[in-house]
């Protein structure tokens, strides 16, 4: 079952703050709205410190202290995750909601064969017999296309390559067929070929099981292939959200275009979208991107832009969005 309007995950007006003594609370998320449909993979892209992991943690109900969810709602299949008690949340985590993070070796138990690690998750969460759990685990090793799965079942993590270990982590995350998968920078340590194989696989599996996927990355280029939609986050705010095609053919936010230009081999394009001179005073309440924005105008530092629709399914937070394709 999903929410009343078909979203598997529906985050609305989510605020997360990190209070610090003697200073103002740092708002890591400032009113984030995000919806993901079953079977949909949405890419969340933003630079370091923009709030991606904080959003992932807030969805899972695991904001690290002293951080707090200050406002907002996280509906998962129609249930408000922010209102669940610890026990109810534990029952949902792992079974219906799974997270894939980088550094697979740190995730895996070094002294337990990898097949058994997958099998344990099935055994504890699905209430099946040990034999059945082992069978499910072997199926998962096949599904994530580990060669010679019968033999690999008994392998220890150090006997696997980084790509194979990441596949095992994905197998663990997906063994209970969760309805929401969050991948937080999970493939960034892998080489490009292995990375696209692992992502292909993740994409096939989430489609097959109609899971909703939040794919977090700093690499905007990779989302073009694997995500149906893209959300760009800057300083705790979604600044642009669109269908992948619409986003890549006609990006509107100056920050999105700056990110895209950074991948271009054309230095003139990069220079055109990168502001080099000093920011000048930015009034609180203005656009957070103003100090770095090449299109900044006086209104930008006086009034915060709101997210508004530029085209069907394409929303942008900017007073002076770019109209033409970059
Ligand atoms: N435990 C914490 N205590 C205080 N501030 C924190 C804490 N965790 C995150 N923050 C702050 O919240 C903001 C968002 O951090 P977050 O880790 O979500 O960024 P990110 O987009 O995941 O970055 P990266 O790409 O480097 O993983 C940052 O300004 C960070 O300093
Ligand atoms: S509101 Fe102004 S400063 Fe902010 S991104 Fe748009 S043009 Fe740039
Ligand atoms: Mg992070």
């Amino acid at each position: 079952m999903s929410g009343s309007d078909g979203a598997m995950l529906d985050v609305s007006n989510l605020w997360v703050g990190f209070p610090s003594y003697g200073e103002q609370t740092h708002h890591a998320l400032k009113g984030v709205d995000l919806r993901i449909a079953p079977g949909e993979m949405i890419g969340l892209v933003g630079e370091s410190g923009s709030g991606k992991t904080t959003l992932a943690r807030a969805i899972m109900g695991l904001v690290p202290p002293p951080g707090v969810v200050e406002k907002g709602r996280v509906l998962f299949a129609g249930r408000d995750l922010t209102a669940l008690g610890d026990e109810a949340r534990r029952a949902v985590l792992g079974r219906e909601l799974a997270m894939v993070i980088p550094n697979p070796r740190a995730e895996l138990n070094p002294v337990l064969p990898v097949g058994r690690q997958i099998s344990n998750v099935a055994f504890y969460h699905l209430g099946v017999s040990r034999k059945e759990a082992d069978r499910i685990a072997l199926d998962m090793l096949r599904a994530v296309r580990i060669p010679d799965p019968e033999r690999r079942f008994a392998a220890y993590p150090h006997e696997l390559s980084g790509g194979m270990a990441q596949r095992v982590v994905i197998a663990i995350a997906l063994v209970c067929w969760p309805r929401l998968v969050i991948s937080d920078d999970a493939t960034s340590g892998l080489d490009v070929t292995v990375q696209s194989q692992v992502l292909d696989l993740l994409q096939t599996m989430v489609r097959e099981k109609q899971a909703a996927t939040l794919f977090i990355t700093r690499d905007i280029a990779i989302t073009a292939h694997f995500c149906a939609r893209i959300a760009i986050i800057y300083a705790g705010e979604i600044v642009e959200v669109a269908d992948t095609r619409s986003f890549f053919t006609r990006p509107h936010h100056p920050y999105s275009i700056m990110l895209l230009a950074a991948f271009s081999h054309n230095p003139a394009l990069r220079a055109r979208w990168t502001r080099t001179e000093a920011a000048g005073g930015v009034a609180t309440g203005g656009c957070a991107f103003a100090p770095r924005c090449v299109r900044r105008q006086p209104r930008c530092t006086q009034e915060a832009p709101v997210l508004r629709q530029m085209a069907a399914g394409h929303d942008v937070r900017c007073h002076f969005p770019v109209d033409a394709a970059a």
Side-chain angles (χ1 to χ4, degrees), residues 16-20 26-29 44-57 63-67 184-185 216-218 233 235-236:
V16 171
F18 289 97
S20 60
H26 171 68
H27 300 290
L29 296 182
L44 179 68
V45 183
E47 62 199 11
S48 192
S50 54
K52 305 179 298 294
T53 298
T54 303
L55 177 59
R57 289 199 179 126
V63 174
D184 188 358
D185 227 356
I216 295 175
T217 179
R218 270 171 281 178
I233 185 167

Side-chain angles (χ1 to χ4, degrees), residues 286-323:
C287 171
F289 187 58
R292 295 168 62 187
C293 185
V294 293
R295 287 171 71 81
R296 186 180 75 212
Q297 300 192 30
R299 181 180 171 200
C300 303
T301 52
Q302 291 152 9
E303 184 191 334
V306 295
L307 209 55
R308 64 194 167 93
Q309 189 170 313
M310 295 286 293
H314 195 148
D315 296 347
V316 182
R317 186 187 298 277
C318 177
H319 293 310
F320 306 103
V322 181
D323 271 328

Side-chain angles (χ1 to χ4, degrees), residues 16-321:
V16 171
F18 289 97
S20 60
Y21 282 112
E23 286 172 39
Q24 283 188 330
T25 293
H26 171 68
H27 300 290
L29 296 182
K30 295 179 275 194
V32 167
D33 293 309
L34 194 71
R35 303 150 60 73
I36 315 180
E40 182 178 54
M41 199 178 214
I42 178 163
L44 179 68
V45 183
E47 62 199 11
S48 192
S50 54
K52 305 179 298 294
T53 298
T54 303
L55 177 59
R57 289 199 179 126
I59 291 169
M60 316 271 290
L62 300 172
V63 174
V68 283
V69 173
E70 301 171 294
K71 250 195 273 186
R73 207 181 56 171
V74 177
L75 283 186
F76 170 59
R79 276 174 302 176
D80 189 351
L81 288 185
T82 56
L84 286 185
D86 284 350
E87 204 171 312
R89 178 173 300 112
R90 265 196 298 277
V92 173
L93 295 183
R95 171 74 205 259
E96 294 184 69
L97 223 148
M99 184 124 169
V100 190
I101 58 174
N103 197 359
R105 290 194 201 290
E107 278 298 285
L108 296 169
N109 182 337
V111 295
L112 204 60
V114 293
R116 180 42 66 99
Q117 298 191 44
I118 304 169
S119 164
N120 280 350
V121 179
F123 181 70
Y124 290 118
H125 282 298
L126 299 178
V128 294
S129 68
R130 181 45 86 181
K131 198 166 159 218
E132 177 65 4
D134 284 351
R135 191 193 60 74
I136 293 171
L138 191 58
D139 278 351
M140 283 309 289
L141 285 176
R142 279 195 198 102
V144 295
R145 292 184 218 127
I146 295 219
D148 200 356
E150 283 85 359
R151 190 166 64 85
R152 288 277 164 51
F153 189 100
Y156 289 90
H158 73 268
E159 297 176 297
L160 302 181
S161 67
M164 289 296 153
Q166 191 57 274
R167 284 166 201 241
V168 170
V169 170
I170 290 177
I172 290 173
L174 299 184
V175 67
C176 300
W177 297 117
R179 294 193 289 170
L180 175 67
V181 178
I182 300 177
S183 163
D184 188 358
D185 227 356
T187 55
S188 58
L190 305 175
D191 77 51
V192 178
T193 316
V194 178
Q195 187 173 26
S196 50
Q197 284 168 355
V198 169
L199 284 172
D200 253 340
L201 181 76
L202 187 63
Q203 189 186 44
T204 309
M205 296 185 83
V206 296
R207 272 202 196 139
E208 194 177 303
K209 289 293 162 184
Q210 288 293 291
T213 308
L214 179 63
F215 180 73
I216 295 175
T217 179
R218 270 171 281 178
D219 179 350
I220 198 165
I222 205 163
T223 59
H225 289 294
F226 297 100
C227 299
R229 275 196 305 142
I230 298 189
I232 306 292
I233 185 167
Y234 185 80
E237 290 178 316
I238 304 287
V239 294
E240 182 156 11
V241 57
D243 293 342
T244 306
R245 197 185 157 78
S246 180
F247 179 83
F248 280 98
T249 52
R250 204 161 241 245
H252 292 296
H253 197 283
Y255 176 61
S256 307
I257 298 171
M258 192 192 96
L259 287 178
L260 289 166
F263 277 89
S264 137
H265 296 298
N266 178 350
L269 186 66
R270 283 204 299 274
R272 189 175 138 211
W273 290 99
T274 309
R275 194 176 185 109
T276 45
E277 76 269 33
V282 174
T284 44
C287 171
F289 187 58
R292 295 168 62 187
C293 185
V294 293
R295 287 171 71 81
R296 186 180 75 212
Q297 300 192 30
R299 181 180 171 200
C300 303
T301 52
Q302 291 152 9
E303 184 191 334
V306 295
L307 209 55
R308 64 194 167 93
Q309 189 170 313
M310 295 286 293
H314 195 148
D315 296 347
V316 182
R317 186 187 298 277
C318 177
H319 293 310
F320 306 103

